[in-house]
Amino acid sequence: MSFGKKDEDAESRGVFYDKSQVLLETRVFNETPLNPRKSRLLLGKVLTLLYTGEHLTRAEATDLFFATTKLFQNKDPGLRQIIYLLIKELADKADDVLMVTSSLTKDINAKPEELFASPNLLSSAAASFGFSFGSRTTSLSSASAALGAGAGPGAVLGTNVCHRANALRAICRIMDPSTIPAIERFLKQAIVDRTAAVSTAALVSSYHVFPVARDLVRRWVNEVQEALTSPKVTSTSPSAYLSTGYIVQYHALGLLYLIRQADRMAVAKLVQSLARTSNVRSQWAQCMLVRFAVKCCEDESASFGGKNMVSVDGSLSAAMYEYLKSLCNNNDMVMLEAARALVSMVNSTPASLTATQVQPAVTALQQLLVSPKPALKFAALRTLHQLAQVNASLVTTCNLDMEQLVSDSNRSIATFAITTLLKTGTESSVDRLMKQISSFMSEISDEFKVIIIDAIRVLAVKFPAKQAVMLSFLASVLRDEGGVLPDCLETALAHLCEFIEDCEFTKLAVRILHLLGAEGPKTRDPAKYLRYIYNRVILENSNVRAAAVTALAAFGAHVDAVRPTVRVLLTRCLDDPDDEVRDRATFNLAALDQAELRAQYLLNDTVLAVPTLQAKLAHYTAAGDFTSAVDVAAVPRIPKAELVPARRRAGSPTRGGAMNSPMLGSPAMRTMTPTLGPATPTPAAAAAGPTGASTQWLEKEPLLAPLLPTLFKSTTAVPLTDRELEYHVSVVKHVFRDWLVLEIEVVNTMPEVLLENVAVSLVPDTPIDTVMKQMAVVPIASLKAHDAQRVFVAFQRAPGAVPTVSFATKLTMTVKDCDPVTHVPDSDQGYPEEFAVEDVDITLADYMLPTTVPDFSSAWDALDEPSQVVETLQVPGIPTLAVAVAQIVDLLGMRALEGSNMVPAEKHAHTLVLGGVFLGGVPVLVRVRMVLDAGAQAVAMEVAVRAGVPEVAQVVAQALQG
Amino acid sequence: MNLTLYTVKALILLDVSNGSRVLAKYYNTGAPSNAATSPAVATGPAPTSTEFATLKDQKTFERRLWEKTRKLLNNEIILFNNHVVVYKGMADVMLFVVGSLEENELMLSSVLNTLYEAINLVLLKYQTEKRTIIENMDLVALAIDECIDNGIVIETDPGTIASRVSKRPSELADISFNDPNSISGAMNKVRDSFFAGILLK
């Protein structure tokens, strides 16, 4: 047989022979004398056709079948064996296969010398010699040993033995229920044949025909029992294979179970008696026995109402458990089966094994984990993984071994290790695991990706603190895989959809909705996600609803087909009770309808650079000039992708995290439109947070830096001099828990003088010694022209004291004339000078941080009623309510809530609500009802203050009175 | 839990270079069979499933399996398409044994190793590779048949399996047929038949 050059192409496609050519060649089966070698080779070709998937029509198969049966005339053993195989392969493809029954029956019954009596003298002699050899009481193993060595006579005998087995296996494939009784006698005898091959053939054949010849096979139960208990060795190889030598037991046990499976008591008896003795020597049979034992335990537990019967002394389960436990020290295959059996009995029902009871299995699996064989490691891990699903704590003892396998070259093993560790691991190990997973996510199969995503989902619920890590992981998976593996993307999205159906974490739901909005429109069937998202609109809180609206809009913007649907859904959101949701729906509806807006806002992949925007807005508010709008155009735009790391650094995302930039910008700008009138907000109200940039000089002062952790607030700089004077002085007030530090910046504008020992003298207008004490002054040693340096004055306040005071302030210094260029003083002799500046005022606003609350009235109700302080005031000299509002906001340093800082022009009554956090983190809310008496230019107010601490409410109320 | 003797779902040999099929046997696929003549096969106690019922299903499975494993020949085991698959490279072909998800991996692995060694044993004279497997399909097919019968593992010792695979018939008939009249032919015939009888070759 050789392959021509032109066939190589076909060959590489798995086409080795031409079917019609091979079928034509079967004519050689009709030749006389028949050439057995040629015939066998041709049947080899036929088998190649069949095994490579070549289709034979029924007629072709039938013709081939009958051509093959002609070969029964030849008695060559090598030919006969392959005829049996072909009969089996064609049994369900050809018609009238029953026709060969008699030929096969003859072979099963034939005496060996009859079977292969050859016309050739030498062959014949060899055959009869072989038979006489076999007919002595020599055991089969020595006969097949001779065969293994390749000796001629033994080979004929061995072949003959095989042929009876092969004929048995073939005949069962062509019988039907009506004809099986005809061969009952042979099968029954063959089961107890002393030759293992024949016994196995009979047992396996009985197994195959059992469903159609149930009653018949049941009658052979004694024979099967005998085959089970008087084992035959099939192997001739040295001891390495000995344990596999009793394979007949495996088949006998399988058949016996099949016969008895309906009779629970009989099965229990069988399993128990076999478990007690050590008669089962085949490891395959032992594995089967393990499975039957588990079945017995399940059955017993079920009949006792789902109880853990292993713990009941004297029960069948207890005996079975002892048996399984003893197998945990067996060879690998049985050990694995037994360990897996025990693990399968751990579940969440009362029938579950206890932790102690399953311990032997865990120990056994742990041993397998360190095996060098991939299959062993895989099997052990898979079992531990299964156990971890039910009870992760049982598996933690294996954590160390599993961590070794995380980097295993077999990705299946590595993935099982990781997903198990995700279950059993502690919160602290999550980050490390996630990093490892993402490093090989692209290399593993989709099935495992699903497993991993599942594991992460569970983990997200377990450790809410790590949700951000997990979500960013999921998001990156979706980004990386999205283009390449749409299947995986859709699987992951589907998971997420289901997840948000019952997700209780707002933060998580918001991020998932954002993800859906970003990735969903790219999938093949975007419409199916709309339902999940709209469900959120119906069922969730306002934060989630807002995110869902934005996600819906993303679908509408990207996918033309679903835009009408989205528009309908968004229109329904216009009635939402939450203003943010309404705003978003309105905005998106407007944007959806116009291609231009759509492109600008919804399909825009860039956002404003947030740090720049933030700085610009802070500056804008601090400057206090609201006559012109913020110049957003001057803010650079960055791609969305670059925004992600920044957001991650900033910590947990807020509601705005899922929004795109126009949404961030517009409401903020709206509140800043210049309806405030001439009134300017106090600089304190616009102050940066406690860690604003204004502490940078403080940090460099070794004396004061240790105070920083207790810093509550730093105000913006307040100038204390006019710009025309020779020295420019300004002050920043740093309020600490127990300290107050004034940072006084001095700028020397005179080139021809050098200032030395610049200090500050502060004289309070009221005695403050009881509540506040000046502890230290850090002077400026030397101040050159155009140089800005700072004097620090530190006061320690009495605990809880929040003094409001006004300091008469002057600088004290030594002035030296100097060279305007080199700043070298003309002489060492200087003269002292004092320089008075404006007063430094410490007000209540310095102890207050403005803040916002989501819902004023519920927050108001949440604060204790007893803490409430109510004052009524009559304030003269105020022309409009807007002025009154601005003054109050200024004085208290609090934030006006719910837009109450905006007073409609013609109104004469107004309610102002304010929110703030007082020193020490005490929440403060203020409600001011005011009525304008236009004629008297006076405002009557009723001020109500509620705070977390009653004293604070008192202080705040008094501040207003003054 | 598999309480039956049916362990192997499929046995596949693929060309490692392009994933084309060299040999594939799927067991108990529930393929349409001739109910009149062989109902026993169709309704065995095996959990007949239709997942590999058509050639197309089978080839798709093989193609994807090959894509997943061809670069990871040393991994030996993979969870694939809801099956446990153990595999091994043999020169330019790959040998796969497919079992159900719940199957004992070491049983499958044992079958794989048995087949691997048995095929090597019956092809003793040749290098085990795609071409020799095709050229000696009679020997390879018989070895497989002596190891797995319709999904049931019947023997796990490769030596025993190899010994049960019959040798090919001698060239004897060929010679007498091709050259019946030549004296050297006659001499060859006598010589060959002598050795054939002694050595069965």
Side-chain angles (χ1 to χ4, degrees):
Chain A
M1 239 178 302
S2 66
F3 299 95
K5 195 91 182 146
K6 63 176 164 30
D7 294 335
E8 272 177 14
D9 188 41
E11 193 189 319
S12 73
R13 281 183 285 120
V15 179
F16 301 95
Y17 305 109
D18 178 58
K19 179 176 81 172
S20 49
Q21 183 68 37
V22 171
L23 291 180
L24 208 62
E25 280 180 44
T26 56
R27 280 179 308 189
V28 301
F29 297 165
N30 295 320
E31 285 171 4
T32 36
L34 186 74
N35 183 334
R37 184 181 176 87
K38 222 183 204 174
S39 304
R40 167 151 157 165
L41 292 177
L42 186 58
L43 288 181
K45 285 190 186 180
V46 172
L47 286 170
T48 306
L49 285 179
L50 292 172
Y51 291 163
T52 48
E54 190 74 60
H55 177 70
L56 294 185
T57 65
R58 223 152 174 101
E60 283 168 344
T62 308
D63 284 350
L64 184 63
F65 186 81
F66 283 99
T68 308
T69 56
K70 294 209 179 75
L71 300 175
F72 269 107
Q73 289 168 9
N74 189 289
K75 291 185 188 286
D76 187 283
L79 180 57
R80 188 63 60 89
Q81 192 182 19
I82 206 155
I83 297 173
Y84 297 140
L85 179 54
L86 206 79
I87 288 173
K88 286 201 285 183
E89 297 296 347
L90 291 176
D92 54 358
K93 293 186 171 72
D95 293 325
D96 300 326
V97 289
L98 270 172
M99 299 296 285
V100 299
T101 311
S102 64
S103 300
L104 289 171
T105 317
K106 217 171 105 196
D107 284 3
I108 292 167
N109 291 318
K111 294 267 186 291
E113 74 271 22
E114 292 165 14
L115 184 54
F116 294 122
S118 161
N120 180 300
L121 189 67
L122 283 169
S123 295
S124 169
S128 25
F129 174 59
F131 175 65
S132 60
F133 183 78
S135 63
R136 290 201 297 272
T137 53
T138 326
S139 76
L140 173 80
S141 58
S142 63
S144 16
L147 170 73
V156 175
L157 173 78
T159 308
N160 169 35
V161 163
C162 273
H163 281 221
R164 282 182 65 205
N166 288 334
L168 268 171
R169 288 200 280 134
I171 200 167
C172 289
R173 303 288 281 276
I174 60 165
M175 302 307 270
D176 64 25
S178 61
T179 50
I180 288 172
I183 56 162
E184 179 190 0
R185 191 169 52 89
F186 316 133
L187 268 175
K188 195 170 159 181
Q189 274 174 10
I191 288 172
V192 289
D193 195 281
R194 59 196 182 86
T195 314
V198 175
S199 183
T200 282
L203 289 166
V204 169
S205 300
S206 308
Y207 202 84
H208 290 318
V209 300
F210 182 80
V212 293
R214 227 168 267 265
D215 296 331
L216 201 67
V217 177
R218 282 212 180 96
R219 290 209 288 265
W220 310 334
V221 68
N222 288 333
E223 282 76 13
V224 179
Q225 186 84 48
E226 195 187 324
L228 175 64
T229 47
S230 48
K232 304 163 192 67
V233 188
T234 67
S235 172
T236 58
S237 314
S239 57
Y241 286 118
L242 213 76
S243 57
T244 70
Y246 296 93
I247 194 92
V248 180
Q249 283 193 320
Y250 168 62
H251 306 121
L253 181 60
L255 183 57
L256 206 53
Y257 178 78
L258 193 63
I259 293 171
R260 292 189 165 159
Q261 63 182 356
D263 183 351
R264 203 185 281 175
M265 290 308 291
V267 170
K269 221 174 104 190
L270 170 72
V271 176
Q272 206 164 11
S273 70
L274 288 173
R276 213 181 296 128
T277 62
S278 53
N279 277 345
V280 180
R281 305 178 67 175
S282 155
Q283 40 179 311
W284 285 70
Q286 282 178 331
C287 287
M288 286 314 282
L289 196 55
V290 166
R291 294 176 192 177
F292 299 153
V294 173
K295 186 78 172 50
C296 286
C297 292
E298 282 173 4
D299 288 346
E300 191 182 39
S301 172
S303 60
F304 281 88
K307 206 170 136 197
N308 177 352
M309 291 306 291
V310 172
S311 307
V312 177
D313 276 346
S315 71
L316 173 64
S317 298
M320 291 297 103
Y321 171 74
E322 286 306 319
Y323 171 63
L324 293 176
K325 205 170 81 175
S326 72
L327 291 180
C328 283
N329 294 312
N330 212 292
N331 70 60
D332 291 348
M333 189 195 282
V334 181
M335 181 153 95
L336 172 68
E337 191 70 46
R340 189 169 281 175
L342 290 175
V343 166
S344 77
M345 291 159 79
V346 178
N347 46 44
S348 48
T349 68
S352 170
L353 289 186
T354 63
T356 333
Q357 282 167 341
V358 81
Q359 194 52 48
V362 177
T363 312
L365 293 169
Q366 194 168 7
Q367 282 172 38
L368 296 180
L369 280 183
V370 294
S371 155
K373 291 185 195 153
L376 268 178
K377 289 189 279 190
F378 177 92
L381 262 179
R382 191 154 77 108
T383 315
L384 287 170
H385 177 256
Q386 186 196 337
L387 182 58
Q389 304 294 320
V390 187
N391 190 339
S393 62
L394 295 176
V395 188
T396 45
T397 48
C398 302
N399 274 5
L400 230 82
D401 294 302
M402 288 193 290
E403 286 196 22
Q404 302 290 316
L405 296 175
V406 162
S407 50
D408 197 280
S409 63
N410 184 325
R411 287 305 178 201
S412 305
I413 291 175
T415 315
F416 267 129
I418 283 183
T419 48
T420 313
L421 283 169
L422 283 175
K423 276 262 184 317
T424 63
T426 53
E427 186 156 1
S428 57
S429 62
V430 166
D431 289 335
R432 194 155 39 90
L433 280 172
M434 300 299 279
K435 205 176 286 172
Q436 258 166 327
I437 298 170
S438 36
S439 70
F440 70 81
M441 202 65 186
S442 58
E443 297 170 40
I444 54 175
S445 66
D446 290 1
E447 281 89 344
F448 268 128
K449 285 188 185 127
V450 174
I451 292 177
I452 286 184
I453 290 169
D454 259 340
I456 289 172
R457 192 177 79 174
V458 174
L459 208 60
V461 177
K462 197 164 143 201
F463 302 130
K466 297 289 178 189
Q467 282 166 5
V469 183
M470 290 169 214
L471 271 175
S472 66
F473 168 76
L474 285 179
S476 75
V477 170
L478 290 175
R479 258 200 306 282
D480 295 347
E481 304 294 329
V484 195
L485 274 173
D487 280 351
C488 177
L489 172 73
E490 292 190 16
T491 315
L493 287 182
H495 265 296
L496 290 174
C497 283
E498 278 168 36
F499 180 48
I500 52 171
E501 290 280 295
D502 42 33
C503 170
E504 291 168 12
F505 301 100
T506 299
K507 223 196 278 176
L508 210 54
V510 167
R511 298 209 46 171
I512 290 171
L513 284 168
H514 176 57
L515 208 60
L516 284 176
E519 302 293 340
K522 297 175 198 160
T523 57
R524 276 172 298 195
D525 184 15
K528 72 178 171 193
Y529 300 106
L530 293 181
R531 179 173 63 86
Y532 289 103
I533 299 173
Y534 191 67
N535 277 350
R536 298 305 95 208
V537 176
I538 302 169
L539 300 169
E540 290 285 354
N541 62 41
S542 59
N543 284 8
V544 178
R545 289 203 305 273
V549 164
T550 309
L552 278 177
F555 278 88
H558 287 88
V559 188
D560 293 341
V562 300
R563 193 167 303 137
T565 322
V566 169
R567 191 174 293 127
V568 172
L569 296 177
L570 286 180
T571 310
R572 287 188 206 159
C573 299
L574 291 176
D575 300 329
D576 196 279
D578 185 81
D579 56 352
E580 175 73 26
V581 179
R582 280 197 310 273
D583 286 353
R584 289 194 187 196
T586 314
F587 170 80
N588 285 307
L589 267 178
L592 273 183
D593 284 337
Q594 294 174 45
E596 194 185 320
L597 287 177
R598 203 159 64 222
Q600 190 184 348
Y601 291 123
L602 299 182
L603 303 177
N604 195 339
D605 266 342
T606 64
V607 292
L608 294 168
V610 172
T612 322
L613 179 67
Q614 192 177 9
K616 203 166 178 70
L617 289 173
H619 182 77
Y620 181 78
T621 47
D625 176 14
F626 298 129
T627 49
S628 64
V630 179
D631 184 11
V632 179
V635 178
R637 299 188 81 88
I638 55 167
K640 269 182 190 168
E642 281 176 30
L643 192 65
V644 175
R647 196 188 299 156
R648 207 172 292 159
R649 268 200 306 280
S652 57
T654 58
R655 181 194 246 195
M659 295 158 68
N660 48 21
S661 62
M663 300 305 291
L664 257 180
S666 42
M669 280 157 59
R670 223 177 295 143
T671 57
M672 272 167 226
T673 41
T675 43
L676 273 175
T680 54
T682 163
T691 53
S694 49
T695 59
Q696 55 170 319
W697 303 108
L698 205 57
E699 282 161 27
K700 292 184 184 144
E701 195 55 57
L703 210 67
L704 303 171
L707 290 174
L708 275 174
T710 64
L711 180 66
F712 174 67
K713 171 180 182 175
S714 294
T715 64
T716 46
V718 181
L720 299 177
T721 55
D722 288 330
R723 297 305 287 177
E724 306 82 40
L725 291 176
E726 56 268 56
Y727 309 120
H728 293 171
V729 182
S730 63
V731 65
V732 173
K733 294 171 271 185
H734 300 285
V735 180
F736 296 84
R737 194 181 58 220
D738 300 312
W739 291 72
L740 175 77
V741 174
L742 301 179
E743 177 187 308
I744 297 158
E745 187 191 65
V746 183
V747 181
N748 176 11
T749 62
M750 296 194 295
E752 59 286 285
V753 297
L754 182 71
L755 306 181
E756 286 185 350
N757 275 327
V758 185
V760 175
S761 142
L762 296 165
V763 180
D765 60 350
T766 52
I768 55 162
D769 287 352
T770 50
V771 286
M772 192 157 95
K773 210 169 185 181
Q774 182 173 333
M775 301 301 282
V777 178
V778 181
I780 301 168
S782 163
L783 186 66
K784 291 183 297 220
H786 304 302
D787 204 354
Q789 290 201 45
R790 288 145 199 89
V791 179
F792 291 95
V793 184
F795 293 90
Q796 187 169 25
R797 302 194 318 274
V802 283
T804 54
V805 67
S806 185
F807 290 108
T809 309
K810 62 184 178 191
L811 299 183
T812 62
M813 54 204 151
T814 307
V815 181
K816 287 179 179 174
D817 294 331
C818 70
D819 184 285
V821 180
T822 60
H823 302 300
V824 177
D826 296 336
S827 69
D828 284 339
Q829 217 47 43
Y831 52 92
E833 194 180 271
E834 287 188 355
F835 181 72
V837 296
E838 288 189 31
D839 292 357
V840 174
D841 295 322
I842 310 295
T843 66
L844 182 82
D846 295 325
Y847 303 106
M848 182 79 80
L849 277 176
T851 188
T852 181
V853 291
D855 182 356
F856 181 85
S857 66
S858 63
W860 180 257
D861 291 341
L863 282 178
D864 247 350
E865 176 108 34
S867 79
Q868 180 171 316
V869 177
V870 184
E871 301 276 2
T872 37
L873 313 165
Q874 191 77 24
V875 187
I878 294 176
T880 65
L881 284 178
V883 173
V885 166
Q887 282 187 354
I888 294 169
V889 170
D890 187 352
L891 189 65
L892 295 180
M894 295 173 79
R895 179 193 286 266
L897 300 173
E898 304 186 335
S900 61
N901 54 340
M902 280 175 281
V903 190
E906 345 41 54
K907 277 188 83 173
H908 292 277
H910 182 65
T911 301
L912 172 69
V913 288
L914 299 162
V917 175
F918 198 71
L919 185 73
V922 182
V924 182
L925 293 174
V926 174
R927 189 188 61 204
V928 186
R929 293 191 179 121
M930 52 184 99
V931 180
L932 177 70
D933 184 351
Q937 296 247 314
V939 177
M941 301 183 197
E942 184 227 21
V943 181
V945 183
R946 287 188 183 183
V949 177
E951 289 80 356
V952 172
Q954 205 71 45
V955 169
V956 173
Q958 276 168 8
L960 267 182
Q961 214 158 27
Chain B
M1 197 165 42
N2 179 8
L3 294 173
T4 73
L5 294 179
Y6 296 99
T7 308
V8 181
K9 286 197 153 188
L11 164 74
I12 307 165
L13 271 164
L14 299 180
D15 184 326
V16 76
S17 65
N18 61 11
S20 71
R21 189 191 268 193
V22 178
L23 180 160
K25 279 192 69 62
Y26 289 80
Y27 301 105
N28 299 302
T29 57
S33 68
N34 189 345
T37 53
S38 58
V41 183
T43 56
T48 51
S49 71
T50 52
E51 57 185 331
F52 297 127
T54 69
L55 184 66
K56 191 164 165 273
D57 296 343
Q58 297 176 0
K59 292 253 167 132
T60 314
F61 178 80
E62 288 161 24
R63 160 73 40 179
R64 291 187 51 216
L65 183 58
W66 171 77
E67 279 168 0
K68 279 281 173 218
T69 54
R70 66 191 168 121
K71 287 193 185 131
L72 304 163
L73 277 179
N74 296 325
N75 277 359
E76 291 183 27
I77 185 161
I78 185 175
L79 208 59
F80 179 72
N81 224 2
N82 285 321
H83 294 90
V84 175
V85 182
V86 290
Y87 61 99
K88 213 170 177 136
M90 305 169 96
D92 58 353
V93 294
M94 292 168 84
L95 174 62
F96 297 89
V97 172
V98 182
S100 73
L101 207 52
E102 63 200 356
E103 200 45 79
N104 184 325
E105 293 87 344
L106 300 187
M107 285 180 157
L108 295 174
S109 180
S110 153
V111 177
L112 178 77
N113 289 324
T114 301
L115 280 168
Y116 177 85
E117 287 184 37
I119 292 175
N120 276 325
L121 278 175
V122 295
L123 296 182
L124 197 59
K125 284 195 294 181
Y126 313 97
Q127 179 89 33
T128 302
E129 56 183 32
K130 179 177 167 181
R131 174 160 297 202
T132 52
I133 289 171
I134 292 294
E135 286 175 359
N136 296 283
M137 187 56 89
D138 54 333
L139 295 169
V140 174
L142 288 174
I144 293 170
D145 183 58
E146 292 296 340
C147 179
I148 305 168
D149 184 84
N150 208 24
I152 298 182
V153 175
I154 56 173
E155 183 51 65
T156 54
D157 174 29
T160 308
I161 290 171
S163 72
R164 285 177 187 168
V165 173
S166 60
K167 306 283 184 289
R168 286 172 176 172
S170 69
E171 295 284 358
L172 185 97
D174 274 319
I175 294 155
S176 62
F177 186 73
N178 291 343
D179 203 0
N181 301 319
S182 90
I183 294 181
S184 69
M187 288 300 289
N188 281 342
K189 176 182 172 183
V190 169
R191 196 189 63 207
D192 283 350
S193 51
F194 178 77
F195 284 114
I198 300 301
L199 305 171
L200 199 79
K201 182 62 216 162

